[in-house]
Amino acid sequence: MAKRREAFEFAGEAVAAGTARTLRLPAARLYNDTQLDLMVEVYHGNKPGPTLLVCAAIHGDELNGIEICRRLMGRINPKALHGTVLLVPIVNVFGFIQKSRYLPDRRDLNRCFPGSEKGALASRLANLVATELLSRASHIIDLHTGAIHRDNLPQIRCDTSDPVMMAMAGAFGAPLIMDSRAKGVSLRGYANQKGIPCILYEAGEALRFSELAIRTGVRGVLNVMRMLEMQKGPIRRTTAVSAIHSYWLRSDADGLVNKKIRLGQRVNKGNIIAHIVSPHGTEALPVRAPSDGIIIGISNIPVTNEGEGMFHIAQFQGDEIEILNEQLDEFLMEFA
Protein backbone atom coordinates (compact mmCIF):
# COMPACT_ATOMS: atom_id res chain seq x y z
CA MET A 1 0.00 0.00 0.00
CA ALA A 2 1.36 3.40 -1.06
CA LYS A 3 2.29 5.75 1.74
CA ARG A 4 -0.25 8.53 2.19
CA ARG A 5 1.03 12.02 1.41
CA GLU A 6 1.70 14.17 4.45
CA ALA A 7 -0.75 16.93 5.36
CA PHE A 8 -0.09 20.52 4.31
CA GLU A 9 0.66 22.64 7.36
CA PHE A 10 -0.68 26.18 6.99
CA ALA A 11 -2.00 28.90 9.31
CA GLY A 12 -1.78 26.55 12.28
CA GLU A 13 -3.93 23.95 10.52
CA ALA A 14 -3.22 20.63 8.82
CA VAL A 15 -4.88 20.07 5.44
CA ALA A 16 -5.02 16.34 4.70
CA ALA A 17 -3.99 15.01 1.30
CA GLY A 18 -6.90 14.85 -1.12
CA THR A 19 -8.89 17.56 0.67
CA ALA A 20 -9.61 21.28 0.38
CA ARG A 21 -9.94 23.83 3.18
CA THR A 22 -10.65 27.54 3.50
CA LEU A 23 -8.14 28.99 5.97
CA ARG A 24 -7.62 32.45 7.41
CA LEU A 25 -4.43 34.41 7.87
CA PRO A 26 -4.96 37.24 10.40
CA ALA A 27 -3.92 40.40 8.54
CA ALA A 28 -4.74 43.39 10.76
CA ARG A 29 -7.51 45.14 12.61
CA LEU A 30 -9.64 48.10 11.56
CA TYR A 31 -9.93 51.17 13.77
CA ASN A 32 -13.10 49.73 15.33
CA ASP A 33 -11.22 46.56 16.39
CA THR A 34 -12.73 44.46 13.57
CA GLN A 35 -10.35 41.68 12.53
CA LEU A 36 -9.42 41.45 8.84
CA ASP A 37 -8.11 38.15 7.48
CA LEU A 38 -6.60 36.93 4.24
CA MET A 39 -8.80 34.07 3.05
CA VAL A 40 -6.76 31.27 1.48
CA GLU A 41 -8.31 28.34 -0.39
CA VAL A 42 -5.98 25.36 0.07
CA TYR A 43 -6.23 22.36 -2.30
CA HIS A 44 -3.81 19.67 -1.15
CA GLY A 45 -3.54 16.89 -3.71
CA ASN A 46 -3.30 13.20 -3.07
CA LYS A 47 -0.03 13.02 -4.96
CA PRO A 48 3.16 15.10 -4.75
CA GLY A 49 3.83 17.93 -7.15
CA PRO A 50 4.38 21.69 -7.34
CA THR A 51 2.83 24.24 -5.01
CA LEU A 52 1.09 26.82 -7.18
CA LEU A 53 0.05 30.15 -5.66
CA VAL A 54 -2.66 32.01 -7.58
CA CYS A 55 -3.36 35.44 -6.09
CA ALA A 56 -5.47 38.42 -7.07
CA ALA A 57 -6.38 41.96 -6.02
CA ILE A 58 -3.03 43.02 -4.63
CA HIS A 59 -4.53 46.26 -5.94
CA GLY A 60 -7.91 46.34 -4.24
CA ASP A 61 -9.87 47.72 -7.20
CA GLU A 62 -8.72 45.03 -9.66
CA LEU A 63 -11.71 42.71 -9.60
CA ASN A 64 -11.33 40.35 -12.57
CA GLY A 65 -8.77 38.22 -10.75
CA ILE A 66 -11.16 37.73 -7.84
CA GLU A 67 -13.76 36.25 -10.17
CA ILE A 68 -11.10 34.12 -11.87
CA CYS A 69 -10.22 32.61 -8.48
CA ARG A 70 -13.89 32.08 -7.62
CA ARG A 71 -14.52 30.17 -10.85
CA LEU A 72 -11.38 28.10 -10.36
CA MET A 73 -12.74 26.82 -7.05
CA GLY A 74 -15.13 24.56 -8.92
CA ARG A 75 -12.46 23.30 -11.29
CA ILE A 76 -9.85 21.88 -8.88
CA ASN A 77 -10.33 18.38 -7.49
CA PRO A 78 -7.86 17.71 -4.65
CA LYS A 79 -8.37 13.95 -4.94
CA ALA A 80 -6.97 14.02 -8.50
CA LEU A 81 -4.49 16.84 -7.93
CA HIS A 82 -0.71 16.44 -8.06
CA GLY A 83 0.74 19.00 -5.69
CA THR A 84 -0.96 21.86 -3.87
CA VAL A 85 -2.85 24.95 -5.04
CA LEU A 86 -3.17 28.07 -2.89
CA LEU A 87 -5.89 30.44 -4.12
CA VAL A 88 -5.94 33.93 -2.60
CA PRO A 89 -8.77 35.88 -4.28
CA ILE A 90 -8.17 39.12 -2.34
CA VAL A 91 -4.68 40.05 -1.17
CA ASN A 92 -5.37 43.73 -0.47
CA VAL A 93 -8.46 43.31 1.69
CA PHE A 94 -8.32 46.95 2.78
CA GLY A 95 -8.32 48.31 -0.77
CA PHE A 96 -11.07 45.90 -1.81
CA ILE A 97 -13.37 47.15 0.95
CA GLN A 98 -12.67 50.76 -0.07
CA LYS A 99 -12.82 50.02 -3.84
CA SER A 100 -9.31 51.49 -3.98
CA ARG A 101 -6.04 50.43 -5.56
CA TYR A 102 -4.21 51.42 -2.39
CA LEU A 103 -4.13 50.76 1.31
CA PRO A 104 -5.67 53.27 3.76
CA ASP A 105 -2.31 55.07 4.06
CA ARG A 106 -2.30 55.50 0.22
CA ARG A 107 0.58 53.06 -0.18
CA ASP A 108 0.75 50.65 -3.08
CA LEU A 109 1.06 47.16 -1.58
CA ASN A 110 2.83 45.98 -4.72
CA ARG A 111 5.70 48.36 -3.97
CA CYS A 112 6.29 47.19 -0.39
CA PHE A 113 7.87 43.71 -0.66
CA PRO A 114 9.31 41.96 1.23
CA GLY A 115 7.97 44.22 3.94
CA SER A 116 8.65 44.07 7.65
CA GLU A 117 6.96 42.43 10.60
CA LYS A 118 7.29 45.67 12.57
CA GLY A 119 6.68 48.19 9.78
CA ALA A 120 3.64 50.26 8.84
CA LEU A 121 0.43 48.64 7.59
CA ALA A 122 1.55 48.10 3.98
CA SER A 123 4.90 46.72 5.08
CA ARG A 124 3.29 44.32 7.56
CA LEU A 125 0.80 43.01 5.00
CA ALA A 126 3.56 42.53 2.40
CA ASN A 127 5.61 40.68 5.00
CA LEU A 128 2.67 38.40 5.81
CA VAL A 129 2.21 37.53 2.13
CA ALA A 130 5.95 37.01 1.63
CA THR A 131 6.51 34.80 4.68
CA GLU A 132 3.27 32.80 4.71
CA LEU A 133 2.46 32.46 1.01
CA LEU A 134 5.38 33.22 -1.31
CA SER A 135 7.78 31.17 0.80
CA ARG A 136 5.61 28.06 0.30
CA ALA A 137 5.14 28.42 -3.46
CA SER A 138 7.15 26.73 -6.19
CA HIS A 139 5.30 28.68 -8.93
CA ILE A 140 3.12 31.82 -8.85
CA ILE A 141 0.47 33.40 -11.07
CA ASP A 142 -0.29 37.00 -10.05
CA LEU A 143 -3.62 38.27 -11.45
CA HIS A 144 -4.01 41.96 -12.33
CA THR A 145 -6.12 44.34 -14.43
CA GLY A 146 -5.49 47.74 -15.95
CA ALA A 147 -5.72 50.86 -13.81
CA ILE A 148 -9.00 52.68 -13.29
CA HIS A 149 -10.45 53.90 -16.63
CA ARG A 150 -7.84 51.93 -18.58
CA ASP A 151 -8.59 48.68 -20.38
CA ASN A 152 -5.84 46.14 -21.14
CA LEU A 153 -5.76 43.40 -23.74
CA PRO A 154 -5.14 40.00 -22.05
CA GLN A 155 -1.38 39.63 -21.73
CA ILE A 156 1.30 37.92 -19.68
CA ARG A 157 4.22 39.87 -18.27
CA CYS A 158 7.39 38.06 -17.26
CA ASP A 159 11.13 37.86 -17.72
CA THR A 160 11.17 36.23 -21.16
CA SER A 161 14.80 35.14 -20.71
CA ASP A 162 13.72 32.69 -17.99
CA PRO A 163 12.78 29.31 -19.54
CA VAL A 164 10.39 28.27 -16.74
CA MET A 165 8.48 31.53 -16.81
CA MET A 166 8.31 31.43 -20.60
CA ALA A 167 6.95 27.87 -20.44
CA MET A 168 4.27 29.05 -18.00
CA ALA A 169 3.51 32.11 -20.16
CA GLY A 170 3.26 30.04 -23.33
CA ALA A 171 0.97 27.49 -21.69
CA PHE A 172 -1.27 30.19 -20.18
CA GLY A 173 -2.54 31.06 -23.63
CA ALA A 174 -3.02 34.83 -23.52
CA PRO A 175 -2.37 36.19 -27.01
CA LEU A 176 0.49 38.46 -25.96
CA ILE A 177 3.64 38.08 -23.85
CA MET A 178 5.41 41.23 -22.68
CA ASP A 179 9.06 41.08 -21.63
CA SER A 180 9.05 42.70 -18.19
CA ARG A 181 11.69 42.56 -15.44
CA ALA A 182 9.76 43.30 -12.28
CA LYS A 183 10.87 45.71 -9.58
CA GLY A 184 12.29 43.94 -6.54
CA VAL A 185 9.76 45.70 -4.30
CA SER A 186 6.81 44.11 -6.12
CA LEU A 187 5.39 40.68 -5.35
CA ARG A 188 6.62 39.31 -8.68
CA GLY A 189 10.03 40.93 -8.40
CA TYR A 190 10.59 39.65 -4.88
CA ALA A 191 9.46 36.15 -5.88
CA ASN A 192 11.84 36.16 -8.85
CA GLN A 193 14.71 37.26 -6.57
CA LYS A 194 13.94 34.24 -4.39
CA GLY A 195 14.09 31.96 -7.42
CA ILE A 196 10.33 31.41 -7.62
CA PRO A 197 9.01 31.66 -11.19
CA CYS A 198 6.13 34.13 -11.19
CA ILE A 199 4.14 35.39 -14.16
CA LEU A 200 1.72 38.30 -14.11
CA TYR A 201 -1.58 38.17 -16.00
CA GLU A 202 -2.95 41.59 -16.96
CA ALA A 203 -6.38 42.07 -18.52
CA GLY A 204 -9.41 44.32 -18.35
CA GLU A 205 -10.11 47.45 -16.33
CA ALA A 206 -10.24 48.24 -12.61
CA LEU A 207 -13.68 48.16 -10.93
CA ARG A 208 -15.20 46.35 -13.92
CA PHE A 209 -15.81 42.70 -14.83
CA SER A 210 -14.71 41.62 -18.31
CA GLU A 211 -15.77 38.19 -19.53
CA LEU A 212 -12.87 38.25 -21.99
CA ALA A 213 -10.41 38.83 -19.14
CA ILE A 214 -12.06 36.37 -16.75
CA ARG A 215 -12.54 33.44 -19.12
CA THR A 216 -9.03 33.86 -20.55
CA GLY A 217 -7.68 33.86 -17.00
CA VAL A 218 -9.56 30.75 -15.88
CA ARG A 219 -8.43 28.82 -18.93
CA GLY A 220 -4.90 30.15 -18.53
CA VAL A 221 -4.47 29.02 -14.91
CA LEU A 222 -5.82 25.56 -15.75
CA ASN A 223 -3.44 25.40 -18.73
CA VAL A 224 -0.47 26.19 -16.48
CA MET A 225 -1.59 23.52 -13.99
CA ARG A 226 -1.68 20.98 -16.81
CA MET A 227 1.71 22.11 -18.09
CA LEU A 228 3.09 21.58 -14.56
CA GLU A 229 1.44 18.12 -14.56
CA MET A 230 -0.69 19.03 -11.56
CA GLN A 231 -3.92 18.21 -13.34
CA LYS A 232 -4.79 16.06 -16.33
CA GLY A 233 -6.36 17.45 -19.46
CA PRO A 234 -5.42 19.09 -22.77
CA ILE A 235 -3.72 22.46 -22.83
CA ARG A 236 -5.94 24.73 -24.92
CA ARG A 237 -3.20 26.79 -26.48
CA THR A 238 -3.20 30.13 -28.23
CA THR A 239 0.20 30.70 -29.79
CA ALA A 240 1.42 33.68 -27.82
CA VAL A 241 3.50 36.37 -29.51
CA SER A 242 6.19 38.32 -27.66
CA ALA A 243 6.40 42.09 -28.05
CA ILE A 244 9.85 43.68 -28.34
CA HIS A 245 8.73 47.08 -26.99
CA SER A 246 5.66 49.04 -25.94
CA TYR A 247 4.90 52.66 -25.19
CA TRP A 248 2.02 54.95 -24.25
CA LEU A 249 1.01 57.44 -26.93
CA ARG A 250 0.39 60.68 -25.06
CA SER A 251 -1.85 63.59 -25.93
CA ASP A 252 -0.44 66.70 -27.61
CA ALA A 253 -3.42 68.82 -26.63
CA ASP A 254 -6.33 69.22 -24.22
CA GLY A 255 -9.90 68.35 -25.18
CA LEU A 256 -12.35 65.61 -26.03
CA VAL A 257 -11.10 62.38 -27.60
CA ASN A 258 -12.93 60.82 -30.52
CA LYS A 259 -11.35 57.36 -30.88
CA LYS A 260 -11.14 55.68 -34.28
CA ILE A 261 -9.78 52.32 -33.12
CA ARG A 262 -10.54 49.63 -30.55
CA LEU A 263 -8.53 47.54 -28.12
CA GLY A 264 -6.59 44.80 -29.93
CA GLN A 265 -6.62 46.58 -33.29
CA ARG A 266 -3.57 46.80 -35.52
CA VAL A 267 -2.30 50.23 -36.49
CA ASN A 268 0.21 51.32 -39.11
CA LYS A 269 2.57 54.26 -38.78
CA GLY A 270 0.74 57.44 -39.72
CA ASN A 271 -2.77 56.04 -39.23
CA ILE A 272 -5.20 58.49 -37.67
CA ILE A 273 -6.35 56.68 -34.51
CA ALA A 274 -8.24 59.53 -32.82
CA HIS A 275 -9.15 63.19 -33.05
CA ILE A 276 -8.85 65.68 -30.20
CA VAL A 277 -11.49 68.40 -30.32
CA SER A 278 -12.41 71.36 -28.19
CA PRO A 279 -15.86 71.21 -26.55
CA HIS A 280 -16.36 74.77 -27.88
CA GLY A 281 -15.13 74.39 -31.45
CA THR A 282 -15.15 72.36 -34.65
CA GLU A 283 -11.43 72.06 -35.33
CA ALA A 284 -10.14 68.49 -34.91
CA LEU A 285 -6.49 67.67 -34.17
CA PRO A 286 -5.60 64.25 -35.63
CA VAL A 287 -3.73 61.76 -33.45
CA ARG A 288 -1.49 59.58 -35.61
CA ALA A 289 0.20 56.29 -34.76
CA PRO A 290 3.97 56.91 -34.45
CA SER A 291 4.75 53.32 -35.49
CA ASP A 292 3.23 50.04 -36.60
CA GLY A 293 1.82 48.04 -33.72
CA ILE A 294 -1.14 46.62 -31.82
CA ILE A 295 -3.28 48.57 -29.35
CA ILE A 296 -2.84 46.63 -26.09
CA GLY A 297 -4.12 49.27 -23.69
CA ILE A 298 -6.57 52.12 -24.03
CA SER A 299 -7.93 54.96 -21.93
CA ASN A 300 -11.70 54.78 -21.62
CA ILE A 301 -12.12 58.43 -20.61
CA PRO A 302 -13.05 60.52 -23.68
CA VAL A 303 -11.31 63.62 -22.32
CA THR A 304 -7.61 64.34 -22.09
CA ASN A 305 -5.06 66.85 -20.91
CA GLU A 306 -1.81 67.38 -22.73
CA GLY A 307 0.69 64.67 -21.79
CA GLU A 308 -1.84 62.06 -20.65
CA GLY A 309 -1.58 58.50 -21.97
CA MET A 310 -4.32 57.57 -24.46
CA PHE A 311 -3.17 54.40 -26.24
CA HIS A 312 -0.68 51.70 -25.23
CA ILE A 313 0.98 50.39 -28.40
CA ALA A 314 3.09 47.23 -28.61
CA GLN A 315 5.72 46.74 -31.30
CA PHE A 316 6.89 43.45 -32.78
CA GLN A 317 9.75 41.97 -34.73
CA GLY A 318 9.41 40.73 -38.30
CA ASP A 319 6.11 39.15 -39.23
CA GLU A 320 5.00 38.51 -35.62
CA ILE A 321 2.62 41.45 -35.85
CA GLU A 322 0.85 39.65 -38.71
CA ILE A 323 0.61 36.44 -36.66
CA LEU A 324 -0.82 38.26 -33.65
CA ASN A 325 -3.23 40.27 -35.78
CA GLU A 326 -4.68 37.09 -37.29
CA GLN A 327 -4.86 35.33 -33.92
CA LEU A 328 -6.56 38.24 -32.19
CA ASP A 329 -9.59 38.06 -34.48
CA GLU A 330 -10.10 34.39 -33.58
CA PHE A 331 -9.29 34.98 -29.91
CA LEU A 332 -11.74 37.86 -29.49
CA MET A 333 -14.46 35.96 -31.35
CA GLU A 334 -13.97 32.87 -29.13
CA PHE A 335 -14.47 34.87 -25.95
CA ALA A 336 -17.07 37.33 -27.27
Side-chain angles (χ1 to χ4, degrees):
M1 183 175 177
K3 183 180 178 182
R4 186 173 178 82
R5 191 182 181 204
E6 290 185 0
F8 185 77
E9 303 286 339
F10 184 76
E13 303 281 349
V15 182
T19 67
R21 293 272 304 277
T22 300
L23 299 179
R24 297 171 179 266
L25 277 177
R29 289 187 178 273
L30 299 178
Y31 301 127
N32 64 356
D33 203 34
T34 300
Q35 176 67 44
L36 281 188
D37 299 325
L38 286 188
M39 306 291 287
V40 183
E41 308 293 333
V42 181
Y43 299 81
H44 190 45
N46 264 328
K47 297 183 179 180
T51 298
L52 175 65
L53 169 63
V54 182
C55 56
I58 195 168
H59 296 131
D61 59 357
E62 298 183 1
L63 308 182
N64 286 310
I66 301 173
E67 179 65 5
I68 290 169
C69 289
R70 191 192 68 80
R71 295 188 191 184
L72 285 168
M73 291 175 195
R75 304 288 298 272
I76 302 172
N77 178 5
K79 295 185 183 304
L81 182 67
H82 290 244
T84 304
V85 176
L86 305 176
L87 283 183
V88 187
I90 306 169
V91 175
N92 183 354
V93 289
F94 299 93
F96 175 69
I97 291 169
Q98 303 266 333
K99 302 184 184 70
S100 169
R101 177 182 180 89
Y102 304 107
L103 287 157
D105 58 4
R106 296 296 297 168
R107 289 195 173 141
D108 185 335
L109 180 58
N110 209 29
R111 295 294 180 270
C112 295
F113 283 84
S116 167
E117 189 177 4
K118 298 185 181 299
L121 178 61
S123 185
R124 288 174 185 243
L125 184 54
N127 179 257
L128 178 70
V129 173
T131 57
E132 296 295 331
L133 292 167
L134 271 61
S135 65
R136 299 170 184 270
S138 62
H139 301 77
I140 302 172
I141 301 175
D142 188 16
L143 305 174
H144 286 253
T145 77
I148 191 166
H149 305 309
R150 284 186 174 178
D151 198 0
N152 279 342
L153 188 73
Q155 57 196 262
I156 291 291
R157 298 180 184 179
C158 69
D159 180 353
T160 58
S161 67
D162 184 282
V164 178
M165 284 189 268
M166 273 300 287
M168 293 170 67
F172 193 98
L176 180 65
I177 298 173
M178 302 289 294
D179 181 38
S180 171
R181 274 79 168 175
K183 298 178 185 297
V185 291
S186 70
L187 182 152
R188 178 165 63 100
Y190 177 70
N192 291 167
Q193 285 180 0
K194 292 295 183 180
I196 309 166
C198 175
I199 62 172
L200 185 151
Y201 172 60
E202 181 92 35
E205 177 185 359
L207 294 176
R208 299 286 184 272
F209 270 176
S210 160
E211 274 299 307
L212 172 67
I214 293 165
R215 291 170 60 192
T216 302
V218 171
R219 187 176 78 173
V221 173
L222 293 174
N223 276 347
V224 172
M225 289 177 62
R226 289 163 185 160
M227 184 275 292
L228 294 173
E229 299 183 343
M230 300 179 73
Q231 183 169 286
K232 292 183 178 179
I235 298 176
R236 299 181 60 195
R237 291 185 181 275
T238 298
T239 304
V241 174
S242 296
I244 59 170
H245 177 65
S246 72
Y247 62 92
W248 274 95
L249 175 58
R250 299 187 177 277
S251 174
D252 287 331
D254 312 302
L256 307 177
V257 182
N258 291 325
K259 293 182 290 192
K260 305 297 180 185
I261 47 91
R262 56 174 171 75
L263 190 66
Q265 188 169 330
R266 176 180 176 171
V267 295
N268 295 319
K269 183 177 181 179
N271 284 166
I272 295 176
I273 59 178
H275 286 102
I276 298 176
V277 299
S278 167
H280 303 289
T282 59
E283 185 176 353
L285 175 68
V287 178
R288 298 182 183 274
S291 67
D292 295 349
I294 299 285
I295 303 295
I296 64 168
I298 197 164
S299 172
N300 287 328
I301 303 178
V303 295
T304 187
N305 290 114
E306 185 175 356
E308 289 183 346
M310 295 185 293
F311 305 99
H312 192 189
I313 301 175
Q315 295 176 283
F316 303 86
Q317 196 165 17
D319 61 357
E320 290 203 326
I321 190 171
E322 304 287 353
I323 297 170
L324 179 59
N325 192 45
E326 291 178 8
Q327 288 186 162
L328 277 175
D329 288 337
E330 296 179 12
F331 179 82
L332 294 173
M333 283 180 62
E334 178 183 358
F335 289 102

